[in-house]
Amino acid sequence: MKTTLEIMRSAKSAVPAVSAAPSEQKNQALLLMADCLQTFSEEILKENALDVEEARGTVSDVMIDRLSLTKERIDAMADGIRDVAGLPDPVGRVLERIQRPNGLIIEKTAVPLGVIAIIYESRPNVTSDAAALALKSGNAGILRAGRQSRRSAASICRAAGLPREAVQLVEDTSRESAMELMHGVGYIDLLIPRGGAGLIRSCTENAKVPCIQTGTGICHIYVDDSADQKMALNIIENAKTSRPSVCNAAEVLLVHRSVADEFLPKLAGRLVDERAAQGNIPVELHLDPQAAKVITGEKAGSADFDTEYLDYKMGVKVVDSVEEAIAHIAAHSTGHSEAIITETKAHADLFTRMVDSAAVYVNASTRFTDGGEFGLGCEMGISTQKLHARGPMGLQELTTYKYIIHGSGQIR
Amino acid sequence: MKTTLEIMRSAKSAVPAVSAAPSEQKNQALLLMADCLQTFSEEILKENALDVEEARGTVSDVMIDRLSLTKERIDAMADGIRDVAGLPDPVGRVLERIQRPNGLIIEKTAVPLGVIAIIYESRPNVTSDAAALALKSGNAGILRAGRQSRRSAASICRAAGLPREAVQLVEDTSRESAMELMHGVGYIDLLIPRGGAGLIRSCTENAKVPCIQTGTGICHIYVDDSADQKMALNIIENAKTSRPSVCNAAEVLLVHRSVADEFLPKLAGRLVDERAAQGNIPVELHLDPQAAKVITGEKAGSADFDTEYLDYKMGVKVVDSVEEAIAHIAAHSTGHSEAIITETKAHADLFTRMVDSAAVYVNASTRFTDGGEFGLGCEMGISTQKLHARGPMGLQELTTYKYIIHGSGQIR
């Protein structure tokens, strides 16, 4: 087993070759990876079953589902890699061309970052997604899976026949290997943690290499006094229940006081009673004192408006105005995605201008914050910080640029 | 005196107002600042004289020069602020507009980062430059000057009449105040250290907030076998001697073996003998063993090729090929600016593709790496890292973006 330091060294030494690889060569490698994943799917499923067996009983059903692979999921992973192969190459684009009065020609040119390390947890598809995105963007990649998914990750890497040293898996899943990556100054150009709040916090606190925080999403929906209430119910049910375990699911609902008496009973009907009647999991509503005067539900505790439930639970709070909604979001949001449901243009404008999150929606579900849904083709995660990349990180966000300047002897 | 925490808190609370300020209002504030600086220049000069008096004898003449203000330099600072007022507002630009098949309209829109903190050292003009750039880009600014320039910085801030809480000076110049900014998670959206290698290292090691490294420049010039040698001499003298104390000055010269015997004597003639004869400061050449066989000079020690001299000194090394030059740069450069002097297109292409620095020049001086020279109008520093911004950081680089999405009830 290679040490983490050996892996970082060989990744760095692979950078010149990987960054200069022509598009055609990268795409051929990707298509081959996709085919291999499907060819060796039996082996992957066998290893994944061992991971799942070990995890069962120690984590929630939602987490078991995140870890589990099926033939269909492997096919989807292979198709994901093929999609990446079909995307335009982000490397070499001239982003700006400046001709100066002194004759200098300055070209701001997109180039790979160098070495990208991804520390992730249980979802096995991150292994193939991240490998494909790193390769296509001309970066050497280092993948460090969580302990729970280590056999799945290793078997996916073996099956895919990843180009030697271009994309490497850290097989050591100890805390130390993660720390070595966080401290890999001079080796790691970008570290992306993908996982729960604990992992993200550990990277923020410990990383000495450039790091992008992803994923934590306490997403809010605000129902304005002028909202189309039928639209609001559709959007809220979609944002809360279509896939509660993902970061763009809504966690908190804010309702304008003047419609609370009318709207909250409809909300309880739609999210609790109707869902139960239809055999769907009802949503557990955690109510602030004002909302609790109108409908029944759990009493919201002090932590309820600062929790990413990732579950069929939702905080509900009554606010006096769009301004109070904006202030609540400023105090409690993780900067991921927020939505306003309104028919008042001035309120929509104020909300989109003042809410400081990666994605701000008017009359649409927060669930759209996703590389595919934004038309980026894929994503390496959703950045919730403001530096370098914000929101879904596609291939472009995995590049930097350099200025290439051609002269004819100019001096200053 | 406000504590650093109080300053960070009030900066954060100023963000909504500062980020939403209309261009016209920001520009008026900037023009007023410029006028005030000139009106109160006597007071600034008096305070600056106290700083200079205290520093004299404890630092080099070059550093005293960096710290010293004159009426002319204050005029230049005021003009710099007026230039910033004249630049286009970077806030609110729609960077991309995506219309999705489901009818969602996604606008990637430039917005301010929030709170920008700048930790700098002795140059007083950084105070006015940074204040102007933060204000124009819609960010709340926190300035933390070095101890040596504290009176100058305070008097510039007083004179400029900075908008309360929009731009604040940390008057505490202790190490603790810098650490508080580096640890200001939740308050500081971007920390920019501007100064020597010690400051940059301290930020890299200690910062828990997003940080951009600036400025350290071990810049290389490589003279290829096909170089126009007259052009090479002009460029080298300019890059080394026009302003040795700045980060884009050249520090190391690499010369192709096949032209070393012919070129090095010309180099010594130009940088040493001719300069001495003209009454200019001659350049002290630090030679590797191969170069030392051809000309006389200091013997280069092990640190010579890893030192940012910021002085009339230059490391000189003979290499076998453009590939060896590229490898030397990869091992010793700080990623700032490098140049090749060549008439061979294939060598120029290889050099610009493989050298991983912010600015890569063909047949021009490294001294052009500068916001003004690149046509950006101004700069907050030169980023030598790859995340978010690389090279000169102008107004655009002080913004982030958010996605504003308008829908009509779309769910996923």
Side-chain angles (χ1 to χ4, degrees), chain B residues 11-213:
Chain B
K12 184 164 172 145
S13 71
V15 165
V18 177
S19 65
S23 303
E24 189 51 31
Q25 191 184 328
K26 294 189 286 190
N27 294 338
Q28 287 303 330
L30 289 168
L31 295 175
L32 192 63
M33 275 169 59
D35 292 346
C36 288
L37 271 195
Q38 292 180 299
T39 306
F40 299 107
S41 62
E42 286 304 323
E43 189 209 320
I44 297 172
L45 289 172
K46 216 161 61 186
E47 295 292 315
N48 179 249
L50 295 174
D51 279 341
V52 171
E53 195 182 302
E54 187 178 282
R56 205 177 293 282
T58 67
V59 295
S60 71
D61 285 357
V62 171
M63 289 301 148
I64 289 290
D65 179 62
R66 285 166 85 108
L67 177 58
S68 300
L69 284 176
T70 60
K71 182 80 183 67
E72 290 67 37
R73 285 186 177 182
I74 293 176
D75 289 344
M77 285 159 57
D79 285 341
I81 298 175
R82 292 187 187 105
D83 288 347
V84 172
L87 291 171
D89 194 326
V91 176
R93 288 168 302 135
V94 175
L95 307 173
E96 261 177 80
R97 189 174 188 280
I98 307 160
Q99 179 142 16
R100 298 290 299 160
N102 59 9
L104 283 182
I105 294 167
I106 303 175
E107 292 184 319
K108 185 177 177 177
T109 308
V111 298
L113 282 159
V115 177
I116 298 183
I118 303 103
I119 302 181
Y120 54 107
E121 295 183 336
S122 60
R123 280 162 61 183
N125 68 302
V126 175
T127 303
S128 61
D129 286 0
L133 290 167
L135 198 61
K136 177 82 182 199
S137 54
N139 292 289
I142 298 178
L143 310 177
R144 199 282 201 174
R147 190 174 156 68
Q148 278 173 357
S149 61
R150 66 188 187 283
R151 297 184 192 89
S152 312
S155 67
I156 289 166
C157 289
R158 271 198 307 276
L162 293 174
R164 190 175 300 273
E165 290 175 0
V167 184
Q168 300 174 90
L169 181 73
V170 177
E171 292 187 56
D172 174 4
T173 57
S174 68
R175 191 176 148 69
E176 285 66 41
S177 73
M179 289 295 278
E180 279 182 278
L181 294 174
M182 293 179 207
H183 291 176
V185 175
Y187 296 109
I188 308 288
D189 294 291
L190 174 61
L191 174 67
I192 306 176
R194 288 190 63 171
L199 171 62
I200 309 288
R201 197 169 44 243
S202 171
C203 283
T204 310
E205 284 175 6
N206 296 305
K208 301 199 184 302
V209 299
C211 175
I212 288 188
Q213 297 168 40

Side-chain angles (χ1 to χ4, degrees), chain A residues 47-48 50-52 54-55 58-59 63-64 67 121-123 145-152 173:
Chain A
E47 294 292 314
N48 178 250
L50 295 175
D51 279 341
V52 171
E54 188 178 281
T58 69
V59 294
M63 289 301 148
I64 290 288
L67 177 59
E121 295 182 336
S122 61
R123 280 160 62 184
R147 188 172 160 70
Q148 278 174 356
S149 61
R150 65 190 188 283
R151 297 184 192 88
S152 312
T173 57

Side-chain angles (χ1 to χ4, degrees), chain B residues 216-251:
Chain B
T216 315
I218 300 183
C219 301
H220 296 75
I221 296 179
Y222 165 60
V223 177
D224 195 25
D225 51 358
S226 68
D228 175 333
Q229 295 189 9
K230 188 158 169 283
M231 183 198 286
L233 291 172
N234 289 338
I235 288 175
I236 295 163
E237 183 172 16
N238 177 262
K240 180 67 262 182
T241 69
S242 60
R243 208 172 165 200
S245 69
V246 293
C247 58
N248 58 22
E251 304 291 8

Side-chain angles (χ1 to χ4, degrees), chain A residues 281-292:
Chain A
I281 302 174
V283 176
E284 196 177 284
L285 299 176
H286 291 235
L287 308 172
D288 85 327
Q290 295 302 316

